[in-house]
Amino acid sequence: MSTVTEQVRSHVESKPGVHFNALAADLDIATGQAQYHLRKLRRAGDIVAEEIQGKTHYYSREYDPWERRVLAFARRETARTILLHLLEAESLSADELTDRLGVARSTVSWHVSALADAEILEKSYGDRGRVVVTLTDPDETQRLLSAVRPSLTDRLIDRFTRLVDEGLAAATDDG
């Protein structure tokens, strides 16, 4: 295989769950070049691609679908922070998560719903009908989180989303 193909394969193996834009930026290769080499590796069965929440993420074949979902969400700053808080506290109400993260309730609600849909956490109803969330597999979640650091691009997008949510929440409170 070509040197670039090997670089792409190595990057996917070292950064499981990397999404397309981050991979192209990290390797400083053109979009078309990244597409070509990723397609080549996928056809050979060397890597797996999965679309999660609107982004295509890439993995070596060793990860099962649940692990791939955890790795993808671990690359998103807010989702990762929620997972880390749940590892620390075992279970938290949505209100407690909102306070700990310092973000709009709608942001927490959206991430909690996405993580629950992905079967990474479970939502239940505690005292007074409040939503309480717990991880479905804390040990595996912790293991997978240790393999991932969100990219700068992921963090910037997440922070922009937070700003928009906070602006919308403030506008709603004022109106």
Side-chain angles (χ1 to χ4, degrees):
M1 282 193 193
S2 77
T3 304
V4 176
T5 302
E6 286 302 322
Q7 288 175 333
V8 170
R9 179 204 322 261
S10 176
H11 194 71
V12 169
E13 288 173 355
S14 68
K15 295 188 178 219
V18 65
H19 67 83
F20 178 81
N21 291 337
L23 181 136
D26 291 347
L27 295 177
D28 195 26
I29 58 177
T31 300
Q33 192 176 15
Q35 289 170 334
Y36 169 80
H37 292 286
L38 287 165
R39 191 173 320 128
K40 184 176 178 179
L41 289 164
R42 287 179 64 196
R43 284 185 183 146
D46 293 335
I47 64 170
V48 177
E50 190 164 333
E51 185 173 319
I52 298 171
Q53 294 284 304
K55 286 185 180 179
T56 302
H57 297 264
Y58 297 91
Y59 310 86
S60 56
R61 294 176 8 182
E62 68 192 83
Y63 297 103
D64 69 32
W66 184 84
E67 291 171 320
R68 292 194 297 260
R69 291 190 303 270
V70 172
L71 289 165
F73 280 103
R75 292 199 169 278
R76 298 166 189 202
E77 190 174 21
T78 301
R80 179 185 180 83
T81 304
I82 289 169
L83 297 175
L84 290 169
H85 281 291
L86 289 171
L87 283 169
E88 179 184 302
E90 293 185 25
S91 69
L92 292 168
S93 72
D95 291 336
E96 290 170 319
L97 279 170
T98 299
D99 291 342
R100 285 177 178 224
L101 272 63
V103 298
R105 173 92 159 108
S106 60
T107 301
V108 170
S109 179
W110 187 88
H111 284 283
V112 164
S113 291
L115 290 161
D117 290 345
E119 300 176 350
I120 298 168
L121 59 77
E122 295 174 338
K123 293 193 301 186
S124 61
Y125 294 92
D127 299 340
R128 296 173 285 168
R130 293 176 22 184
V131 172
V132 176
V133 293
T134 57
L135 294 171
T136 56
D137 191 336
D139 293 336
E140 279 301 295
T141 301
Q142 183 158 12
R143 180 184 69 81
L144 292 165
L145 281 174
S146 68
V148 174
R149 293 280 177 248
S151 71
L152 176 61
T153 305
D154 292 331
R155 292 192 325 260
L156 290 175
I157 290 169
D158 206 52
R159 288 177 187 178
F160 176 75
T161 303
R162 283 184 186 183
L163 285 172
V164 170
D165 284 345
E166 289 169 8
L168 291 172
T172 303
D173 291 343
D174 292 341

